[in-house]
Amino acid sequence: MCISLITKGDILDFCKPLQLEEEQLRRRTNGCKSQEKKLWIAKNYVPVHTHVYKLQEEFLLPEFKSLARLCEVKDISISKVSPHLECMKGADRVYRIPVFTSEFCRHLKEEILHFENSDLPNSRPNTMNNYGIILEELLDFDEGFVKPLRERFLSPISKLLYPECVGTNLDSHKAFVVTYRVGHDLDLDYHYDNAEVTCNISLDDSYEGGDLYFGGMKSERRRDSFSRCSHRLGYGLLHRGQHLHGATELEDGERQNLVVWMRSSGVRNTACPMCGRKPSLVETDGRGDGFTVTEVDVCSAS
């Protein structure tokens, strides 16, 4: 049986001694608090676009569906797939891929805005972004939309492009929408993700600035030069979670992105992606950070 877990190792790297106990408590209780918000939202929220909560193929660009099918062909090589990808200049193994239709992006943005205007409680997307929503809390969007998007489309693409990151499977995720606008978050500091593979999908095209920039991998020596990658409506920037990156300052308008952090328990159970150590795990409510432990229900000596 698999249970939801978080790791303690990366907390030691980012917290001062006096903050450690508080951060451990926050992580242990975060899943429970998120579930409470999800139940409250389910009871009180009336969506404006009910169709966006279940993945439908008409939401997806034909090129995206073709790419996913191609990546599932036995013994297919990256060279055969590369004509269907846009390799970002200067950014090693960062790809721009077609994902959503512009109509779906518009409907999803309207649904997110409708939810934000409801004043119902929701959690911050992550510790770096202040504005946006965690999609696991929003009705059935996570199970009905993000999970099949990961399993049927993003996983086969990622497995071909990043086999060392995926292992046998990308078996969990954390998905959220981030919002950048004047007076709110404008940029994002240089960082790496708590993910094996990340897909960052643009829901907007009415803004200036806000490009992503990439350096080297977390394990490499820090570099002074960066490669800049622009967003495109309905397209996703696909990259390894350990690839250091940030976002330039938004100059005008509003930018919203759907971000999917995809995780492989088989990979991260060996080494925590945040601290690089053998995970020291603590059980928590909800999905945790994608780590798993297998419990045997019968005596192993029998």
Side-chain angles (χ1 to χ4, degrees):
M1 178 180 68
C2 293
I3 56 179
S4 300
L5 299 148
I6 59 174
T7 181
K8 296 187 291 186
D10 61 305
I11 299 176
L12 297 172
D13 287 348
F14 297 105
C15 290
K16 297 177 182 178
L18 293 177
Q19 297 173 316
L20 180 58
E21 185 174 343
E22 181 181 344
E23 177 63 11
Q24 287 180 334
L25 178 62
R26 186 192 72 81
R27 293 194 183 196
R28 288 186 184 188
T29 59
N30 192 52
C32 182
K33 291 179 179 178
S34 183
Q35 289 299 309
E36 290 174 354
K37 292 174 184 177
K38 180 179 174 67
L39 291 172
W40 184 254
I41 290 168
K43 183 178 180 180
N44 294 280
Y45 179 62
V46 179
V48 67
H49 289 308
T50 56
H51 62 284
V52 303
Y53 288 85
K54 184 175 182 180
L55 182 66
Q56 301 176 41
E57 292 214 5
E58 57 261 37
F59 299 162
L60 307 175
L61 290 168
E63 300 92 332
F64 179 59
K65 292 181 282 188
S66 297
L67 175 61
R69 286 194 297 267
L70 185 61
C71 288
E72 290 184 307
V73 174
K74 186 178 180 181
D75 297 326
I76 191 75
S77 65
I78 293 180
S79 61
K80 293 289 182 67
V81 172
S82 58
H84 303 270
L85 302 166
E86 184 178 356
C87 302
M88 305 308 292
K89 186 177 179 180
D92 183 40
R93 299 173 73 187
V94 177
Y95 305 96
R96 185 158 56 195
I97 60 173
V99 183
F100 297 140
T101 66
S102 58
E103 181 181 30
F104 171 76
C105 291
R106 178 172 57 84
H107 287 171
L108 181 57
K109 274 182 58 67
E110 290 171 355
E111 182 62 27
I112 297 301
L113 179 62
H114 180 65
F115 174 75
E116 289 177 337
N117 290 337
S118 72
D119 291 327
L120 288 167
N122 64 285
S123 303
R124 287 173 59 186
N126 52 64
T127 56
M128 297 186 72
N129 291 95
N130 295 301
Y131 300 95
I133 62 170
I134 292 180
L135 293 172
E136 185 180 0
E137 295 177 358
L138 188 55
L139 303 182
D140 294 322
F141 193 88
D142 204 60
E143 285 291 317
F145 187 95
V146 182
K147 184 178 179 180
L149 179 70
R150 167 176 57 84
E151 292 180 338
R152 294 172 51 194
F153 299 98
L154 293 174
S155 283
I157 296 171
S158 300
K159 191 168 186 177
L160 179 67
L161 299 178
Y162 313 112
E164 76 283 8
C165 298
V166 172
T168 57
N169 189 26
L170 291 170
D171 51 5
S172 68
H173 64 264
K174 178 179 179 179
F176 47 90
V177 170
V178 291
T179 302
Y180 297 84
R181 64 168 68 101
V182 175
H184 292 68
D185 289 339
L186 289 176
D187 55 17
L188 189 62
D189 290 338
Y190 200 47
H191 68 285
Y192 52 89
D193 297 336
N194 188 353
E196 274 63 66
V197 180
T198 295
C199 190
N200 187 327
I201 308 165
S202 176
L203 304 177
D204 281 292
D205 61 0
S206 57
Y207 60 89
E208 298 291 335
D211 293 342
L212 292 189
Y213 59 91
F214 289 86
M217 296 295 289
K218 172 194 169 189
S219 58
E220 298 173 356
R221 184 177 179 180
R222 293 289 179 105
R223 61 176 70 171
D224 296 325
S225 60
F226 304 97
S227 300
R228 192 160 171 161
C229 302
S230 61
H231 293 286
R232 181 177 173 185
L233 176 65
Y235 280 61
L237 289 171
L238 192 70
H239 62 88
R240 292 162 289 175
Q242 300 294 288
H243 200 156
L244 289 158
H245 60 286
T248 62
E249 185 170 316
L250 186 74
E251 299 169 7
D252 187 48
E254 176 180 292
R255 175 168 76 86
Q256 283 192 316
N257 291 64
L258 169 58
V259 181
V260 186
W261 284 355
M262 293 176 282
R263 294 161 168 173
S264 169
S265 61
V267 172
R268 61 181 44 218
N269 283 350
T270 302
C272 170
M274 304 303 285
C275 69
R277 303 187 183 103
K278 178 71 177 178
S280 175
L281 301 174
V282 177
E283 187 172 358
T284 183
D285 293 314
R287 290 202 178 121
D289 283 344
F291 300 91
T292 57
V293 167
T294 301
E295 293 182 344
V296 180
D297 295 327
V298 295
C299 178
S300 59
S302 61

